[in-house]
Amino acid sequence: IQIDKTAPKFDGYQIESISDEMHIDTDGNYYLNAGDTVKIAAVFEEPVMISGDSKIELSHGKSASYVGTSSDRKTLYYTYTVASGENSASLCIAEKVIPNNVQDIAGNKFETKPAESTTLKHNEKTIVIDTITPDAPSVTFKDAGGYKVATNIGNVSEQLTMEISGEGNGEKIEYSING
């Protein structure tokens, strides 16, 4: 008979899935919007179990909630759903935070904490939370005197200046004189 008195060892966090991977910028970073969900895996070296409610605190003040365990019981799954108004340059597990209420099958509690915050990546890319709606660009046509002529015009017989204004991330404007 061997008695286990050693606390379970933690292998780390990883992203199991993202609900909408269509929000990818030119650098390949994932942009999450309100309503998008991230499934986070907390991986251990041996089977573990949860006693009571368990959450993982995220660095921007929100938390991921426990939703289940893998079939081998070595991985605990947590989900976080982005709410309107939440923003973060990168999704991170808060400093010195581990899943709470975790123990191995022998009842040894997991209490070791990481020394610093952990940045979560998906396919080696940063996960950015961005719920800010960008301003749509506006197009104004002005005549030679600087007076606004129109915002949407058909055939024009005089030279006009086109002004484009607005802010955003990665927007593209295309202009064609032949349709």
Side-chain angles (χ1 to χ4, degrees):
I1 295 180
Q2 188 175 23
I3 299 174
D4 178 4
K5 293 190 179 207
T6 306
K9 291 183 181 170
F10 184 60
D11 276 344
Y13 295 104
Q14 60 190 30
I15 297 297
E16 186 71 19
S17 63
I18 296 177
S19 65
D20 187 353
E21 294 186 16
M22 298 306 292
H23 308 293
I24 302 173
D25 71 4
T26 55
D27 294 327
N29 296 324
Y30 292 98
Y31 277 77
L32 302 180
N33 293 316
D36 290 342
T37 300
V38 176
K39 188 174 185 181
I40 303 168
V43 183
F44 292 84
E45 290 184 2
E46 66 178 289
V48 293
M49 59 187 173
I50 297 286
S51 60
D53 188 32
S54 182
K55 294 187 181 295
I56 296 174
E57 296 301 320
L58 304 173
S59 60
H60 65 291
K62 303 303 176 184
S63 61
S65 300
Y66 173 73
V67 293
T69 306
S70 64
S71 59
D72 66 1
R73 300 180 70 179
K74 292 182 180 182
T75 304
L76 304 175
Y77 297 113
Y78 296 79
T79 60
Y80 160 67
T81 301
V82 179
S84 181
E86 295 178 4
N87 298 288
S88 178
S90 65
L91 183 60
C92 300
I93 304 296
E95 185 175 338
K96 299 182 180 178
V97 170
I98 51 124
N100 56 348
N101 303 327
V102 176
Q103 60 188 20
D104 64 14
I105 304 304
N108 300 307
K109 291 185 180 191
F110 176 65
E111 296 179 8
T112 305
K113 298 181 181 186
E116 56 192 47
S117 65
T118 303
T119 299
L120 296 169
K121 300 225 178 216
H122 185 56
N123 297 328
E124 302 302 317
K125 299 294 182 178
T126 300
I127 301 170
V128 178
I129 300 170
D130 181 7
T131 63
I132 300 170
T133 304
D135 292 333
S138 63
V139 179
T140 303
F141 294 92
K142 294 184 177 184
D143 65 13
Y147 296 100
K148 179 179 174 181
V149 176
T151 55
N152 186 11
I153 58 176
N155 294 331
V156 177
S157 60
E158 62 181 294
Q159 183 175 353
L160 299 176
T161 302
M162 181 170 59
E163 288 185 356
I164 302 170
S165 61
E167 294 182 21
N169 183 11
E171 282 78 19
K172 185 187 330 181
I173 295 176
E174 295 182 10
Y175 172 76
S176 172
I177 57 172
N178 59 1

